[in-house]
């Protein structure tokens, strides 16, 4: 819980800062890079836990993953600076430090030399955020979109071991392949999404964003409904067909970079921190409720049917995202630019 609290608080700041630093012509690429970094960590972590856990105990993977987190924390503390405040570093301590990004993230207050004054984060900020239709659509798709992820992260490995006769290490290889596939599709989604955005084809941009959500359920539904012989070899290893399905399922990651770039592009700088905080909250709510929803379905329908219905959550998200084609052109025209001037290449 404490680790989620620490890491979860960094994502709104990270994406809000990126939106302030980079222009709209680069934000999908930046969003894709940030999302891909997370997918790399998830894939490596899943693979490591599957290899290390059975041999050295379940506590050992938690100890191992803490090391890079601590190293990153030290590096951030030493080297990450806000370029908007670098020029004010020599200002007198009693003078106000106008840090717009910090003000946005903390609810609108400014840091002053004699102490920190923080405005209360009232509901008016969220009302302004929800008044933007594109924001509301993206928040709404988070819950159904996280339910399939809950199945993959929480239940899929156990299902492959228990119901499909796969070895534990082999089942984690399936989730690792899915993570690597998400990495590749996430990068591709950012590249193609940015290209379509720069071409001012926001309709195609929306179609690309929802395409992965509409396709991704199919391979996972086949994975949980296929016979054991099609998924697992006699030696307990995944078949090529199982690897192929996990590889295809990664197309769900096409949407991630583009969804976050939409939030960057339709909101001004002073609201982006609030927007990404709300988005992270909706996303985490979906991840938290997802397992409970799936468990309820399993108790009623059994695992196979419950997982099939859960993967269909991506279809619901895709239907919601499809409505962006109506709101995105108007909302993007009102959105803010980057704070820092960009250099022309």
């Amino acid at each position: 819980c404490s680790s989620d609290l620490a890491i979860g608080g960094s994502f709104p700041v990270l994406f809000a800062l990126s939106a302030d630093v980079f222009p709209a012509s680069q934000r999908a690429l930046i969003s894709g890079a940030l999302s891909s970094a997370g997918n790399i960590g998830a894939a490596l972590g899943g693979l490591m836990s599957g290899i290390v856990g059975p041999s050295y105990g379940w506590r050992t993977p938690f100890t191992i993953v803490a090391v890079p987190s601590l190293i990153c924390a030290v590096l951030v503390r030493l080297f990450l600076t806000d370029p908007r405040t670098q020029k004010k570093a020599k200002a007198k301590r009693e003078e106000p430090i106008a840090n717009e990004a910090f003000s946005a993230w903390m609810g609108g207050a400014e840091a002053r030399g004699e102490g920190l004054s923080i405005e209360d984060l009232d509901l008016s900020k969220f009302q302004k955020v929800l008044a933007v239709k594109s924001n509301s659509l993206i928040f709404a798709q988070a819950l159904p979109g996280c339910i399939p992820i809950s199945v993959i992260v929480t239940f899929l490995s156990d299902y492959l071991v228990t119901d499909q006769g796969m070895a534990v290490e082999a089942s984690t290889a399936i989730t690792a392949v899915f993570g690597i596939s998400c990495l590749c599709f996430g990068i591709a989604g950012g590249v193609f999404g940015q290209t379509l955005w720069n071409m001012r084809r926001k309709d195609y941009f929306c179609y690309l964003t929802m395409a992965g959500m509409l396709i991704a359920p199919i391979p996972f539904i086949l994975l949980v409904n296929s016979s054991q012989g099609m998924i697992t070899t006699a030696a307990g290893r995944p078949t090529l067909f199982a690897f192929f399905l996990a590889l295809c399922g990664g197309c769900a990651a096409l949407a991630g970079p583009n969804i976050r770039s939409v939030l960057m592009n339709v909101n001004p700088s002073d609201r982006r921190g609030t927007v990404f905080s709300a988005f992270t909250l909706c996303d985490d709510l979906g991840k938290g409720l997802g397992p409970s929803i799936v468990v309820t379905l399993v108790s009623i329908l059994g695992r196979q049917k419950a997982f099939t219905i859960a993967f269909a959550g991506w279809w619901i998200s895709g239907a919601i995202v499809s409505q962006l084609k109506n709101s995105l052109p108007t909302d993007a025209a009102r959105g803010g630019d980057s704070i820092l001037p960009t250099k022309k290449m």
Side-chain angles (χ1 to χ4, degrees), residues 109-227:
E110 289 184 347
R112 300 181 181 274
E114 65 273 11
L116 183 64
S117 174
I118 302 177
E119 287 182 3
D120 292 330
L121 185 59
D122 55 34
L123 293 177
S124 63
K125 273 187 167 293
F126 290 101
Q127 290 172 350
K128 292 177 181 178
V129 167
L130 293 175
V132 180
K133 186 177 180 182
S134 296
N135 289 339
S136 299
L137 290 172
I138 289 177
F139 295 161
Q141 63 81 38
L143 177 58
C146 286
I147 295 176
I149 297 296
S150 299
V151 175
I152 296 170
V153 173
T154 309
F155 303 104
L156 184 60
S157 291
D158 180 70
Y159 176 80
L160 293 175
V161 172
T162 304
D163 293 55
Q164 297 287 12
M166 198 175 290
V168 174
E169 293 84 353
S171 68
T172 58
I174 292 293
T175 57
V177 168
F178 171 70
I180 294 171
S181 177
C182 285
L183 167 64
C184 297
F185 276 107
I187 294 174
V191 171
F192 288 116
Q194 190 65 72
T195 300
L196 294 172
W197 186 277
N198 293 344
M199 292 172 60
R200 302 183 185 277
R201 295 309 306 262
K202 294 183 176 61
D203 50 347
Y204 289 171
F205 176 90
C206 294
Y207 296 147
L208 173 68
T209 303
M210 71 178 183
M213 295 180 177
L214 298 180
I215 297 172
I218 298 174
F220 281 107
I221 289 174
L222 290 174
L223 184 66
V224 300
N225 286 280
S226 296
S227 63

Side-chain angles (χ1 to χ4, degrees), residues 22-75:
F22 295 96
S25 60
Q26 300 175 8
R27 287 174 185 159
L29 292 174
I30 298 303
S31 177
L34 295 175
S35 300
S36 298
N39 288 328
I40 291 174
L44 293 178
L47 185 61
M48 180 273 296
S49 63
I51 295 174
V52 174
S55 300
Y56 298 95
W58 64 268
R59 291 183 177 86
T60 304
F62 287 95
T63 303
I64 294 175
V65 298
V67 174
S69 298
L70 293 173
I71 294 174
C72 289
V74 173
L75 293 176

Side-chain angles (χ1 to χ4, degrees), residues 6-23:
I7 296 173
S10 66
F11 285 110
V13 176
L14 183 62
F15 282 99
L17 177 61
S18 299
D20 287 343
V21 173
F22 295 96

